[in-house]
Amino acid sequence: MNTKEVAELRRRWQPEKNAVRRIYGCFVNDRGELITDLDEPLSMLPQEEAEQYFALLKKSLSGRLGKHLIDLVFSTQQVVDSEEHKLLMALRESGLQDGEARQAFYQKAMETLDLEGSYLLLLAHDTFDVPVKAKDGTRLEDGDRVFSYILCAVCPVKEGKPGLSYYPGDNEFHCYSPQNVAAPEYGFLFPAFDDRAANLYNALFYCRKPDLLPEAFLDSVFHTEVPMAAEEQKEAFQEALAEALGQECSMDVVQVLHSQLSGLVAEHKESKDPEPLTLTARAIGQILTQCEVPAENVEAFQALCDERFGEGAALDPLNLMDPGKVEIKTPQVSLTVEADYSPLVQARVIDGKRYLLIPAGEGVEFNGLAVRIPAQEQEA
């Protein structure tokens, strides 16, 4: 899926824009016990409650593709005949009305989700009459097709602070400790909405904290290979760079590499291309070559990337570095600078000692106190 397809589905999660008829789910306590089996007809819910449910489900379509939204791919064999795919299809094809399928899914969740405290698992089924558009963007009269899908959100339920609350029926105040449903930690869309149509070979998984993927839940529900988390990708990339370049991993080389990758990210953003920006290790190797890194080091870097990510893997530069800032550390000093300013930071050897030189203009502060740096002629 691309950003436009995700955004198109997100816009549907308002009461007046989707075809959802019921909200399903279960409430699980902190001991992993099912307390409530949810089956709420939207026609019976106050509008404010319906909007709250939709807001929680919509949140499971948020974040950045490749980081918070992870593409899961089923094998052909799984689609043809596998327990996990059959269960997802049963949920989808019945519009979540298959009670046995829902209970089987809840059981998988309760056995594998490791959340602190209680949580609310929400499920909804929507059918989307997808308007088919011509290349020039105009809508075709008889081109609509239906996209049927399920959306899931797993939301922690947190204890609020106890306080006095008014009870109209008793006309009294009583001490009450509310339980509030928080934004989802996890969620998924099945099937994926690729090329604005159903793709039964893919699902889109949401994780609020990409470095804390629920591996047991993913294996139980999808049983497919999960892409490396964004933080793991960054660590693997940095390790490959440091190991392959060795003494060639200088400040100048790393600054140019960061600047080039940041520039590609900026250009991609300006182009408004909905497809995620990806690079191969070979493309990154070309940047290193431009920095006059020896060919054997570049080849070693590409080999290590193939080993860690897979041969010819498409890498998201946003998972490899932060384009907005640069953090420079020594054992004694930690420095964060804006990415545009980082090329001005220089590494120099003066009188046999290594220094970081940072241009300082006006507005220098020491522990919040404005200080003045004397001009050179004044020092003389």
Side-chain angles (χ1 to χ4, degrees):
M1 292 180 63
N2 61 40
T3 54
K4 281 189 176 180
E5 290 161 344
V6 173
E8 189 170 10
L9 291 186
R10 275 178 55 84
R11 287 193 292 270
R12 290 188 57 76
W13 287 90
Q14 299 177 37
E16 69 278 6
K17 290 190 175 181
N18 59 50
V20 176
R21 295 290 174 263
R22 307 181 82 88
I23 297 290
Y24 298 94
C26 63
F27 175 49
V28 181
N29 67 13
D30 56 0
R31 295 186 295 277
E33 301 166 339
L34 192 151
I35 303 301
T36 304
D37 190 338
L38 201 67
D39 183 353
E40 297 279 5
L42 283 180
S43 59
M44 303 294 289
L45 288 177
Q47 183 175 353
E48 185 178 357
E49 289 185 19
E51 289 174 352
Q52 289 292 324
Y53 279 124
F54 286 142
L56 291 169
L57 286 158
K58 179 181 180 179
K59 193 70 176 176
S60 63
L61 291 172
S62 62
R64 181 165 64 79
L65 285 168
K67 184 176 182 180
H68 305 95
L69 294 171
I70 304 166
D71 191 35
L72 301 179
V73 183
F74 294 103
S75 68
T76 301
Q77 183 57 41
Q78 281 182 293
V79 175
V80 171
D81 183 24
S82 71
E83 175 192 342
E84 59 275 0
H85 201 272
K86 283 181 179 178
L87 177 57
L88 292 170
M89 288 297 292
L91 292 169
R92 176 204 183 221
E93 291 176 349
S94 70
L96 295 173
Q97 295 182 46
D98 186 336
E100 290 185 8
R102 292 202 313 272
Q103 291 302 320
F105 177 72
Y106 297 158
Q107 193 61 38
K108 280 177 177 280
M110 289 187 293
E111 290 174 354
T112 57
L113 280 173
D114 185 19
L115 287 170
E116 289 186 11
S118 307
Y119 62 87
L120 175 65
L121 186 153
L122 295 174
L123 283 171
H125 172 261
D126 182 30
T127 53
F128 177 23
D129 293 328
V130 184
V132 179
K133 299 178 181 179
K135 290 183 178 180
D136 62 0
T138 57
R139 179 169 173 165
L140 301 179
E141 289 294 329
D142 300 319
D144 289 1
R145 55 193 173 197
V146 177
F147 174 56
S148 170
Y149 66 101
I150 58 174
L151 191 60
C152 172
V154 180
C155 310
V157 177
K158 300 181 179 181
E159 294 286 342
K161 293 183 179 180
L164 287 174
S165 297
Y166 180 67
Y167 288 74
D170 300 334
N171 199 26
E172 296 175 349
F173 284 88
H174 299 285
C175 194
Y176 175 64
S177 180
Q179 290 186 313
N180 300 314
V181 180
E185 288 290 324
Y186 314 118
F188 69 84
L189 166 79
F190 176 81
F193 187 51
D194 288 330
D195 294 325
R196 306 184 70 243
N199 179 359
L200 300 179
Y201 285 80
N202 290 60
L204 191 67
F205 187 79
Y206 167 78
C207 187
R208 189 174 73 86
K209 299 177 181 177
D211 54 331
L212 296 175
L213 291 173
E215 295 181 4
F217 177 77
L218 286 166
D219 184 62
S220 177
V221 175
F222 303 99
H223 197 57
T224 188
E225 185 176 352
V226 179
M228 189 183 294
E231 191 61 31
E232 288 182 87
Q233 291 181 39
K234 184 176 181 180
E235 291 177 4
F237 174 75
Q238 291 178 342
E239 289 171 0
L241 203 60
E243 183 178 339
L245 269 60
Q247 295 298 318
E248 299 296 329
C249 193
S250 67
M251 174 76 86
D252 291 341
V253 168
V254 174
Q255 282 178 316
V256 171
L257 178 59
H258 186 278
S259 178
Q260 291 278 347
L261 294 180
S262 297
L264 292 173
V265 170
E267 288 176 11
H268 182 264
K269 185 176 181 179
E270 289 177 8
S271 72
K272 301 188 183 302
D273 185 350
E275 297 297 333
L277 172 65
T278 58
L279 296 172
T280 63
R282 185 168 298 278
I284 298 172
Q286 291 173 353
I287 299 174
L288 296 175
T289 299
Q290 294 169 7
C291 297
E292 299 184 354
V293 174
E296 58 268 25
N297 297 90
V298 174
E299 291 171 4
F301 165 75
Q302 293 169 344
L304 286 172
C305 284
D306 288 344
E307 180 184 317
R308 286 166 166 78
F309 300 108
E311 187 171 353
L315 304 175
D316 183 346
L318 286 171
N319 288 345
L320 308 181
M321 55 90 194
D322 184 346
K325 66 178 182 179
V326 171
E327 188 176 31
I328 302 171
K329 285 186 177 181
T330 74
Q332 297 81 23
V333 177
S334 179
L335 175 70
T336 301
V337 298
E338 296 296 326
D340 292 343
Y341 189 79
S342 66
L344 299 178
V345 180
Q346 301 178 29
R348 291 288 182 267
V349 177
I350 303 174
D351 296 333
K353 294 182 179 180
R354 289 188 288 266
Y355 288 89
L356 290 175
L357 302 183
I358 307 166
E362 299 298 327
V364 178
E365 295 183 359
F366 185 94
N367 279 347
L369 177 65
V371 296
R372 184 176 65 86
I373 299 178
Q376 186 175 0
E377 59 271 15
Q378 291 176 320
E379 289 181 349

